[in-house]
Amino acid sequence: MDEIFPELQYFFKSGLHQKSVYALLKEAPTPEAIASMHMTHLAHFLKVNSHGRFDKKMAQQLRVLAQKSIGASDSSLSIQVTHTIQQIELLDSQLERVEAEMTEIMKFNDSVIMTIPGIGYINGGMILGEIGDIHHFSSLNKLLAYADLDPSVYQSGNFQAKKTRMSKRGSKVLRYALVNAAHNVVKSNAAFKTYYDAKMAEGRTHYNALGHCAGKLVRIIWKMMTDNLEFNLE
């Protein structure tokens, strides 16, 4: 698109990667094709495929943009655009099926970690899928290490670094899922929010503070899965 219609990526506030834009580019993959569309058809097409977000005024602006585009006129590029969109849509549909299956599996398993506020079926599925049987980890520290969340703390006398680094020797997938989950739990649970704020007050970065929250979350998950306990930080 940088070659065929470079202005388009700045026209839509949410960018190119949305279903309404994909639909437009499959029907009219070049500026010339968009510029030649009848205004009534273009306006209706955008309105229907955007569920009313794009109106006639936007359609008019888009057609003017297409008429003035400096993009290259190349049929091979337009074919690449439509083929790429089809590939993205195929991958999206496959991802949706996988996520639907994960959701059903998580509902069937009814894991105690699903009682943690902010953890959804997909994130919970990633966490459980990476941890597996909690009893495979003989200690909490081994689970923390596997999750890439055991801090490598550098100390000198009474000094403790504010920007504590996290080791990188375990499961990147588990670490990603836990940090993402921690982000949601901070927004959903007062105790985690207080802990996050305390870390930020120490001068840590947002991501570093989330890493510590994820470590706290691992400790809770360890206890919950080991003793089959529901979430409770009252």
Side-chain angles (χ1 to χ4, degrees):
M1 291 307 300
D2 287 340
E3 295 182 49
I4 198 169
F5 196 171
E7 302 88 354
L8 191 63
Q9 61 182 312
Y10 305 106
F11 180 76
F12 296 101
K13 291 182 179 180
S14 299
L16 298 178
H17 298 290
Q18 47 186 313
K19 292 182 178 180
S20 55
V21 178
Y22 287 164
L24 171 66
L25 292 176
K26 283 195 296 183
E27 176 158 324
T30 65
E32 293 83 3
I34 294 174
S36 64
M37 291 177 71
H38 191 280
M39 179 51 63
T40 301
H41 174 61
L42 178 58
H44 178 72
F45 186 90
L46 288 178
K47 182 178 180 180
V48 170
N49 285 281
S50 68
H51 302 288
R53 290 186 297 116
F54 302 151
D55 56 16
K56 184 176 181 179
K57 181 179 179 180
M58 195 167 186
Q60 292 171 334
Q61 293 172 343
L62 176 60
R63 194 165 74 164
V64 171
L65 187 71
Q67 291 169 343
K68 296 181 178 181
S69 176
I70 61 171
S73 180
D74 189 331
S75 60
S76 65
L77 289 176
S78 66
I79 293 173
Q80 289 182 40
V81 168
T82 54
H83 284 181
T84 300
I85 291 173
Q86 289 170 356
Q87 290 175 341
I88 292 173
E89 290 177 333
L90 175 60
L91 292 172
D92 283 343
S93 66
Q94 291 173 337
L95 180 60
E96 288 174 1
R97 287 199 297 271
V98 170
E99 290 183 344
E101 291 176 6
M102 287 179 65
T103 298
E104 290 303 313
I105 292 171
M106 289 298 293
K107 287 180 178 179
F108 178 78
N109 287 337
D110 194 26
S111 170
V112 289
I113 76 166
M114 296 310 300
T115 62
I116 301 175
I119 290 187
Y121 290 118
I122 305 305
N123 225 23
M126 292 173 67
I127 293 170
L128 289 183
E130 289 298 302
I131 292 177
D133 185 348
I134 193 66
H135 298 102
H136 288 163
F137 299 92
S138 59
S139 69
L140 169 60
N141 287 338
K142 289 186 177 181
L143 178 58
L144 282 166
Y146 181 65
D148 270 341
L149 290 168
D150 53 328
S152 300
V153 180
Y154 292 87
Q155 294 180 318
S156 175
N158 295 324
F159 172 78
Q160 181 173 342
K162 290 182 179 180
K163 295 183 179 179
T164 304
R165 297 191 302 174
M166 296 293 176
S167 65
K168 298 290 187 294
R169 54 192 176 89
S171 168
K172 293 182 180 179
V173 173
L174 180 56
R175 176 181 169 81
Y176 167 82
L178 286 166
V179 171
N180 190 46
H183 177 72
N184 293 329
V185 176
V186 165
K187 294 189 293 185
S188 306
N189 181 264
F192 267 87
K193 180 62 165 61
T194 299
Y195 185 69
Y196 170 84
D197 289 342
K199 291 300 176 184
M200 291 294 289
E202 293 175 2
R204 301 179 186 276
T205 64
H206 166 70
Y207 187 78
N208 184 271
L210 277 185
H212 283 274
C213 289
K216 180 180 178 71
L217 185 60
V218 169
R219 292 174 174 85
I220 292 173
I221 289 175
W222 164 266
K223 181 66 175 177
M224 291 173 65
M225 293 183 68
T226 300
D227 297 340
N228 196 33
L229 298 172
E230 292 190 355
F231 180 83
N232 185 2
L233 280 186
E234 296 299 330

